[in-house]
Amino acid sequence: MNEQVLEELYKKWGRTALNLHILSLEAGRSVDDPTERKMQQYVLSSINRDRFISYLQRATFENEWLTIRDLVQLIHCQRGTVETMIRDVEGYGVLDIKRDEKNVRYLKASEKLMGYYHNYTKWLFRIMTDKGGMSSARATATAILELENTVQ
């Protein structure tokens, strides 16, 4: 019985998470800065572009650098695809790129790109709290954790 309830709670939490994701895609966040708007459009234009930018941002949060090879493996694409994505955004000042003595490039998100991400997360927070999604997801997650403890 508890396992069936747990599965239903997981589905409810998943539905809440999906609704928030769709809301974030459809809400049409208005961006005044032209470069930030171009980056917003770039990220939304394909899953590979979204992954590319997201992995660079995570690398910056973790204070690490990614090589082209790292990005190819993370995104599951060809080297040429990563090279194209770098060229697509390089002129916007959103990448920090350094080279080692063997001329290997290392990349992460620039402060500018991280600022754009911060703007997005503040907006997303408002969407989540205004629509009640955060409290609904938290309540469901708490119920799942409590029930998981009784099932184990």
Side-chain angles (χ1 to χ4, degrees):
M1 176 66 177
N2 282 347
E3 291 177 12
Q4 184 180 12
V5 172
L6 184 59
E7 282 305 308
E8 288 305 312
L9 286 171
Y10 274 125
K11 288 177 185 176
K12 180 179 179 183
W13 188 89
R15 197 169 32 253
T16 301
L18 179 61
N19 287 336
L20 289 171
H21 177 68
I22 291 170
L23 186 60
S24 74
L25 293 173
E26 293 178 343
R29 181 173 74 103
S30 171
V31 176
D32 294 330
D33 180 273
T35 304
E36 184 173 359
R37 187 171 43 256
K38 286 177 185 174
M39 289 308 303
Q40 175 191 33
Q41 292 165 349
Y42 183 81
V43 167
L44 292 174
S45 66
S46 83
I47 189 69
N48 279 352
R49 290 174 174 178
D50 187 16
R51 287 177 178 161
F52 172 68
I53 296 298
S54 295
Y55 287 127
L56 291 170
Q57 290 167 329
R58 184 175 70 185
T60 301
F61 274 123
E62 295 173 353
N63 198 28
E64 294 184 6
W65 294 83
L66 297 174
T67 64
I68 304 297
R69 179 179 290 178
D70 294 333
L71 289 163
V72 164
Q73 291 174 344
L74 289 166
I75 300 169
H76 305 290
C77 66
Q78 300 294 316
R79 181 181 181 91
T81 302
V82 172
E83 296 284 358
T84 298
M85 289 187 283
I86 291 169
R87 282 191 304 275
D88 287 346
V89 300
E90 201 168 15
Y92 296 125
V94 296
L95 301 178
D96 284 343
I97 302 174
K98 68 178 184 176
R99 294 178 183 267
D100 68 9
E101 64 282 349
K102 295 179 183 176
N103 208 28
V104 174
R105 282 177 292 171
Y106 295 86
L107 300 95
K108 66 180 182 176
S110 69
E111 276 188 45
K112 185 177 189 177
L113 183 57
M114 295 308 287
Y116 296 161
Y117 182 72
H118 181 64
N119 293 343
Y120 166 74
T121 57
K122 287 192 306 188
W123 170 83
L124 184 60
F125 180 81
R126 292 289 166 234
I127 289 286
M128 291 174 68
T129 54
D130 291 349
K131 302 292 181 184
M134 186 179 294
S135 60
S136 174
R138 186 181 307 117
T140 304
T142 301
I144 288 170
L145 292 173
E146 289 173 2
L147 194 53
E148 277 182 338
N149 289 332
T150 64
V151 170
Q152 296 175 0

